[in-house]
Amino acid sequence: LNDMLQYIIKLNALTGQQYRLPSEAEWEYAAKAGTSTRYAWGESVGVNNANCDGCGSQWDNHWPAPVGQFKPNGFGLHDMHGNVWERVEDCFHNSYNNAPTDGSARTTESEKNDRVLRGGGWYSNSAILRSMYRLGLAPDFRDGDIGFRVAKTLVKP
């Protein structure tokens, strides 16, 4: 997580913009892209819609696919399901009790100080790729199927 945050600090300095990790709520909203189904494309994982163990792509259960190999969701975002887990800003809690209702990140420490990951990875079971699935891992845990996506903070005119 610290490497990701250092990258974002450098990106902000280089661009003069405000980038950050998305909140868990923002990530799920972006992944669903206006749908109410398990995946942005429907209720079943189908074939060649994502990279996971059993998704039917050439990369399944081997390694991450190059970005953009699968159709984008309704918001034009690629690879929200599968490929690599994505860290978000939130601390992991077992339930959504007392979570923010405005879409902001839940930054109060949990018992184990775990952080939330979303989306599933290239060797995850297809059920884990559902928009609602979440995982908590230590912030310094590293693996070949963990990455991140940046969100840009928009300034209201």
Side-chain angles (χ1 to χ4, degrees):
L1 180 64
N2 286 333
D3 291 346
M4 294 172 196
L5 297 177
Q6 288 300 315
Y7 172 84
I8 292 170
I9 289 168
K10 288 179 182 179
L11 180 63
N12 289 343
L14 182 68
T15 64
Q17 303 292 316
Q18 283 260 230
Y19 293 97
R20 58 186 169 74
L21 292 176
S23 71
E24 187 173 7
E26 288 171 324
W27 188 96
E28 187 170 330
Y29 179 81
K32 287 178 164 284
T35 66
S36 59
T37 53
R38 289 176 187 231
Y39 311 95
W41 57 82
E43 286 296 336
S44 69
V45 75
V47 176
N48 207 32
N49 290 313
N51 180 14
C52 75
D53 183 10
C55 284
S57 83
Q58 64 186 357
W59 301 279
D60 284 9
N61 211 22
H62 294 292
W63 48 75
V67 173
Q69 297 301 303
F70 306 100
K71 290 187 302 186
N73 69 15
F75 290 164
L77 300 172
H78 290 269
D79 308 322
M80 295 296 293
H81 302 276
N83 215 25
V84 296
W85 286 95
E86 296 183 12
R87 287 204 182 264
V88 297
E89 185 67 28
D90 298 65
C91 294
F92 183 82
H93 293 263
N94 288 327
S95 77
Y96 290 115
N97 293 341
N98 302 315
T101 58
D102 63 358
S104 63
R106 187 178 192 179
T107 56
T108 56
E109 298 297 324
S110 60
E111 292 136 18
K112 295 198 279 188
N113 195 28
D114 286 350
R115 302 302 279 266
V116 176
L117 287 91
R118 300 293 295 260
W122 52 268
Y123 62 79
S124 299
N125 171 305
S126 63
I128 289 174
L129 272 60
R130 296 171 306 147
S131 301
M132 298 183 306
Y133 192 88
R134 54 202 295 272
L135 176 67
L137 285 176
D140 59 348
F141 183 85
R142 293 177 178 218
D143 199 14
D145 71 339
I146 297 175
F148 67 107
R149 183 178 302 257
V150 297
K152 184 176 180 182
T153 300
L154 300 177
V155 179
K156 294 181 182 179

